[in-house]
């Protein structure tokens, strides 16, 4: 009798499991970038993201919806433009109609981002003593015009900077005379937050 009951319960369990549709896990977010022009890129950890009737909702800290236009949907990221962002403001987003993989239901992805400041900011300065290389990381995507980089030691003496390579959110360069463990001040002129404001200069003191 017990064996018969167990067999019946197993059969019911199998039928129940087969009746439930296969669910695809919603894609996980790798990173979110917001430019000063209101462009927001959400990059996923997987490269097999699929979309169906996709919508993006963005709200400010007060819960008010902002106008959003989807620009591009790719297999590993989505790009959309948000109107009405305020510099330094915090926002939440919900992407519906998205899934990871070729099967299962389409779900939602939620997250948050911060609109960049109107002024550029140096987030980190890294010195590679082995290769005499200096890397400057900005807090947001930036643009350059008549770029100039000056590095001074604590006594105000200028160091020689050359072979500057520009990227959307960082600068990479060779530098002569820098000593590991000492303090320096770097000044970057001719830089602005991407799509926002005028070109200016920004400085940061750091330890090599």
């Amino acid at each position: 009798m017990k064996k018969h009951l167990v067999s019946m319960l197993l059969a019911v369990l199998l039928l129940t499991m087969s009746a439930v549709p296969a669910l695809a896990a919603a894609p996980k977010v790798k990173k979110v970038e917001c430019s000063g022009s209101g462009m927001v890129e959400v990059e996923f950890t997987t490269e097999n993201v699929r979309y169906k009737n996709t919508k993006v909702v963005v709200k400010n800290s007060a819960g008010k919806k902002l106008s959003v236009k989807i620009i591009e949907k790719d297999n590993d990221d989505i790009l959309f433009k948000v109107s009405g962002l305020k510099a330094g403001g915090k926002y939440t987003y919900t992407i519906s109609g998205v899934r990871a993989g070729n099967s299962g239901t389409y779900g939602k992805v939620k997250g948050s981002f911060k609109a960049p400041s109107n002024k550029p900011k140096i987030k980190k300065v890294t010195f590679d003593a082995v290769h005499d290389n200096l890397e400057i990381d900005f807090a947001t995507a930036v643009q350059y015009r008549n770029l100039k980089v000056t590095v001074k030691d604590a006594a105000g003496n200028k160091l020689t900077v050359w072979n500057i390579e520009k990227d959307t959110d960082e600068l990479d360069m060779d530098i002569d005379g820098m000593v590991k463990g000492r303090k320096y001040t770097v000044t970057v002129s001719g830089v602005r937050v991407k799509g926002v404001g005028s070109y200016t200069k920004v400085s940061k003191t750091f330890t090599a």
Side-chain angles (χ1 to χ4, degrees):
M1 181 68 179
K2 288 184 178 180
K3 289 184 178 180
H4 182 65
L5 180 60
V6 171
S7 297
M8 289 180 64
L9 289 173
L10 287 173
V12 171
L13 180 61
L14 289 172
L15 286 171
T16 303
M17 292 175 64
S18 63
V20 177
L23 297 177
K28 294 182 180 180
V29 175
K30 183 178 180 180
K31 65 177 181 178
V32 182
E33 292 186 351
C34 176
S35 72
S37 60
M39 299 294 289
V40 180
E41 180 182 19
V42 178
E43 184 177 343
F44 302 108
T45 58
T46 182
E47 295 184 355
N48 63 343
V49 177
R50 302 291 181 265
Y51 306 89
K52 184 177 181 180
N53 299 325
T54 305
K55 294 182 179 180
V56 179
V57 175
V58 174
K59 295 180 180 180
N60 62 17
S61 57
K64 181 182 178 181
K65 290 183 180 180
L66 278 68
S67 176
V68 180
K69 180 181 180 181
I70 297 176
I71 305 300
E72 184 178 9
K73 302 189 293 283
D74 205 348
N75 61 352
D76 62 351
D77 62 23
I78 182 171
L79 180 68
F80 52 90
K81 183 175 177 61
V82 185
S83 300
L85 293 180
K86 292 185 178 180
K90 293 183 178 180
Y91 301 87
T92 60
Y93 67 85
T94 301
I95 305 170
S96 59
V98 62
R99 76 180 182 196
N102 296 319
S103 62
T105 58
Y106 290 84
K108 295 181 179 180
V109 173
K110 296 182 179 181
S112 62
F113 65 90
K114 185 177 180 179
S117 168
N118 284 332
K119 295 183 178 181
K121 180 181 179 181
I122 296 176
K123 181 172 64 175
K124 181 175 64 173
V125 182
T126 306
F127 173 56
D128 181 353
V130 175
H131 300 96
D132 287 330
N133 177 265
L134 194 69
E135 182 178 296
I136 301 171
D137 293 305
F138 296 99
T140 61
V142 297
Q143 291 175 300
Y144 311 97
R145 178 181 291 174
N146 300 324
L147 175 68
K148 183 180 180 182
V149 179
T150 303
V151 180
K152 294 182 179 181
D153 61 17
N157 301 308
K158 286 186 180 181
L159 279 67
T160 301
V161 175
W162 52 287
N163 195 27
I164 300 175
E165 295 183 4
K166 297 179 287 187
D167 202 349
T168 55
D169 59 357
E170 68 180 28
L171 292 171
D172 188 272
M173 66 204 71
D174 294 319
I175 188 164
D176 292 335
M178 184 165 284
V179 180
K180 192 77 173 178
R182 293 185 181 178
K183 285 189 175 182
Y184 298 89
T185 299
V186 59
T187 300
V188 181
S189 303
V191 61
R192 73 172 185 176
V193 174
K194 186 176 181 180
V196 177
S198 58
Y199 290 88
T200 183
K201 66 179 179 179
V202 58
S203 299
K204 185 176 181 65
T205 298
F206 66 97
T207 301

